[in-house]
Amino acid sequence: MPWGVGFASSRSCVVDLSRNQTLWCAGSDDHFSFYGEIIAFPLQDYGGIMAGLGSDSWWKKTLYLTGGALLAAAAYLLHELLAIRKEQEVDSKDAIILHQFSRPNNGIPSLSPFCLKMETYLRMADLPYQNYFDGKLSPQGKMPWIEYNRKKVSGTEFIIDFLEEKLGVNLNKHLGPHERAVSRAVTKMVEEHFYWTLAYCQWVDNLHETQKMLTLNGPFSDLLKWILCHITKGIVKREMYGHGIGRFSEEEIYKLMEKDMRSLAGLLGDKKYIMGPKLSTLDATVFGHLAQAMWTLPGTRPERLIKGELINLAMYCERIRRKFWPDWHRDDDNTLYESEESSEASKTQPLQDFSFYSRTETFDEEGTENSFSRTPDTDYTGHSLFDSDVDMDDYTDHEQCK
């Protein structure tokens, strides 16, 4: 009797993993998730090969044993791939718990623009938080999401609205009605259009490089990376086709990406931040996406564009990284994480968790209302962060060496 491998969920359904492998999409703000147990179940015999084996065939018994072993191996691989874990009680009393994907091994905080956006926003707003890399999606099937006083909120836009209401932070208080409208329009361009072109480059066209950046442990880590990346590739292509942008050719998709990047470069101009001299929520959104082109797509068209012709976007990314990610260090093109307590020997290994993080201790002004609006125009080393501080000649020389 043939068998199938499936996934039993509390939502009164069984997903047949032997037939349907489109489970979730890494790197997107919108996911589909199943939680439950991996099971094996018999399939009907429709008079195929198994029907002609005979009830007493020795090789039929051998086939059963081999099939059972393969099912056990498949169950283990799927268990590791889906990162199914028992639910843990999280104490979120007066603490922001940020659930997101695990850190990649290339040093950038996240391969997901939305996860990087959310964590950067928390740092910009100077809100202490704790990371949970448990692989668990929100009840709505989204990543990232937060818990605060046992309240679960998903979707970066709703998370920011929630934090503004509960904690009184507001990065946009200096914006007028027109600027707020422009900010929202740019946000939607970045998250609903530019994002998909990045996803195509990351998970379809440049998949082999993305696979190298994933962090998975265990004896089958390489196999799991390969499976995960190719499942994600299929999902991204399907989602892009449904969106509409995936119905164009590769060249047309890259042309759309270039138009979005040029629009951002034109909007930024020679300003310090997108909307002017002061931070806004839009900067967390734009940085989360441009950082992918800057640091996760080596040798691709978006990387060459941002580090070449659109150099003001590269300087913008460097400015935000230096100011709000002091623990994200770069040596040439390789970025590293380190805590203040780390030794010299530990500087060659990326950290997997920052635990509770707050910028408050890095500034002289403490206890002031909306302290994020009064932060100095320097990074933690004391260097200025204005446009002129990122040497364009360095970038030009770097591009010529490629």
Side-chain angles (χ1 to χ4, degrees):
M1 178 181 296
W3 291 76
V5 180
F7 191 74
S9 172
S10 59
R11 301 178 183 177
S12 301
C13 67
V14 174
V15 179
D16 186 353
L17 299 181
S18 61
R19 302 174 182 178
N20 179 11
Q21 294 182 337
T22 56
L23 296 176
W24 62 285
C25 175
S28 174
D29 194 36
D30 196 1
H31 301 268
F32 300 93
S33 175
F34 298 93
Y35 292 94
E37 300 294 335
I38 294 176
I39 63 172
F41 54 90
L43 301 175
Q44 277 188 297
D45 191 353
Y46 292 100
I49 297 176
M50 294 298 294
L53 292 178
S55 59
D56 297 326
S57 174
W58 65 268
W59 56 288
K60 183 176 180 180
K61 296 178 181 178
T62 302
L63 185 60
Y64 285 157
L65 294 175
T66 304
L70 291 175
L71 286 174
Y76 172 78
L77 290 175
L78 289 168
H79 185 278
E80 292 295 320
L81 177 61
L82 297 173
I84 301 172
R85 298 173 173 85
K86 295 181 180 179
E87 291 190 7
Q88 300 178 352
E89 288 293 330
V90 178
D91 183 11
S92 61
K93 179 176 175 56
D94 297 327
I96 300 172
I97 307 299
L98 176 61
H99 296 263
Q100 62 169 311
F101 296 118
S102 299
R103 304 286 194 207
N105 58 25
N106 70 326
I108 190 172
S110 181
L111 293 177
S112 165
F114 295 97
C115 290
L116 183 53
K117 166 193 173 179
M118 194 67 250
E119 190 168 4
T120 302
Y121 171 84
L122 292 172
R123 291 175 174 233
M124 287 179 172
D126 198 13
L127 296 175
Y129 64 94
Q130 184 175 16
N131 278 313
Y132 266 62
F133 304 110
D134 53 3
K136 178 182 176 183
L137 305 185
S138 72
Q140 293 81 14
K142 286 184 173 290
M143 188 76 88
W145 58 287
I146 69 164
E147 292 180 82
Y148 182 77
N149 286 338
R150 301 190 181 277
K151 173 71 173 179
K152 299 178 180 179
V153 186
S154 65
T156 55
E157 184 173 355
F158 291 112
I159 293 174
I160 292 174
D161 290 343
F162 173 81
L163 294 176
E164 288 181 352
E165 178 183 354
K166 294 295 182 180
L167 302 179
V169 297
N170 189 353
L171 292 178
N172 298 329
K173 66 176 185 177
H174 62 284
L175 300 180
H178 175 74
E179 292 174 314
R180 290 174 184 266
V182 171
S183 177
R184 178 164 179 80
V186 175
T187 296
K188 294 302 108 178
M189 180 197 75
V190 170
E191 295 185 345
E192 305 296 339
H193 193 267
F194 180 50
Y195 163 75
W196 288 110
T197 62
L198 284 173
Y200 176 83
C201 186
Q202 199 170 39
W203 295 101
V204 179
D205 192 33
N206 205 44
L207 184 65
H208 61 288
E209 292 293 337
T210 302
Q211 181 177 332
K212 297 176 184 177
M213 300 176 192
L214 295 181
T215 302
L216 289 175
N217 300 317
F220 301 102
S221 60
D222 291 338
L223 176 60
L224 292 176
K225 287 181 182 181
W226 186 89
I227 294 174
L228 174 61
C229 285
H230 283 79
I231 288 177
T232 304
K233 175 181 178 180
I235 297 173
V236 168
K237 293 178 70 175
R238 184 196 66 193
E239 296 290 331
M240 290 183 65
Y241 190 85
H243 176 279
I245 197 172
R247 301 174 188 237
F248 300 111
S249 67
E250 176 180 311
E251 183 62 27
E252 289 171 327
I253 291 174
Y254 278 115
K255 283 184 178 179
L256 294 175
M257 170 186 281
E258 183 173 339
K259 287 183 177 181
D260 288 342
M261 294 181 68
R262 290 186 182 279
S263 297
L264 290 173
L267 182 62
L268 175 64
D270 59 358
K271 300 193 299 293
K272 187 174 182 181
Y273 300 113
I274 297 294
M275 299 306 295
K278 294 184 178 180
L279 278 169
S280 68
T281 303
L282 178 59
D283 291 297
T285 301
V286 174
F287 175 76
H289 288 73
L290 287 181
Q292 308 302 319
M294 184 83 171
W295 291 298
T296 74
L297 300 173
T300 62
R301 292 169 64 173
E303 186 204 46
R304 293 194 297 269
L305 191 62
I306 195 173
K307 293 182 178 180
E309 187 177 348
L310 306 181
I311 192 65
N312 65 329
L313 294 182
M315 294 190 294
Y316 169 79
C317 289
E318 281 288 350
R319 193 154 54 246
I320 292 181
R321 180 192 65 82
R322 287 165 55 191
K323 185 167 186 177
F324 298 103
W325 289 90
D327 38 5
W328 172 2
H329 294 271
R330 296 184 63 240
D331 182 12
D332 292 328
D333 285 340
N334 298 317
T335 55
L336 299 173
Y337 293 101
E338 65 174 340
S339 63
E340 294 179 358
E341 297 81 11
S342 63
S343 62
E344 290 294 323
S346 67
K347 292 183 180 180
T348 60
Q349 298 295 329
L351 297 181
Q352 295 301 309
D353 190 1
F354 292 120
S355 189
F356 279 99
Y357 176 87
S358 174
R359 293 192 303 116
T360 304
E361 296 180 355
T362 66
F363 302 116
D364 294 331
E365 301 89 356
E366 295 186 8
T368 58
E369 182 181 2
N370 293 334
S371 60
F372 51 82
S373 64
R374 299 188 57 197
T375 58
D377 293 326
T378 58
D379 64 6
Y380 73 107
T381 64
H383 294 94
S384 174
L385 293 169
F386 284 105
D387 296 333
S388 59
D389 296 325
V390 182
D391 193 349
M392 295 179 64
D393 293 335
D394 293 341
Y395 280 94
T396 304
D397 294 340
H398 173 73
E399 288 301 312
Q400 291 176 348
C401 291
K402 283 190 174 182

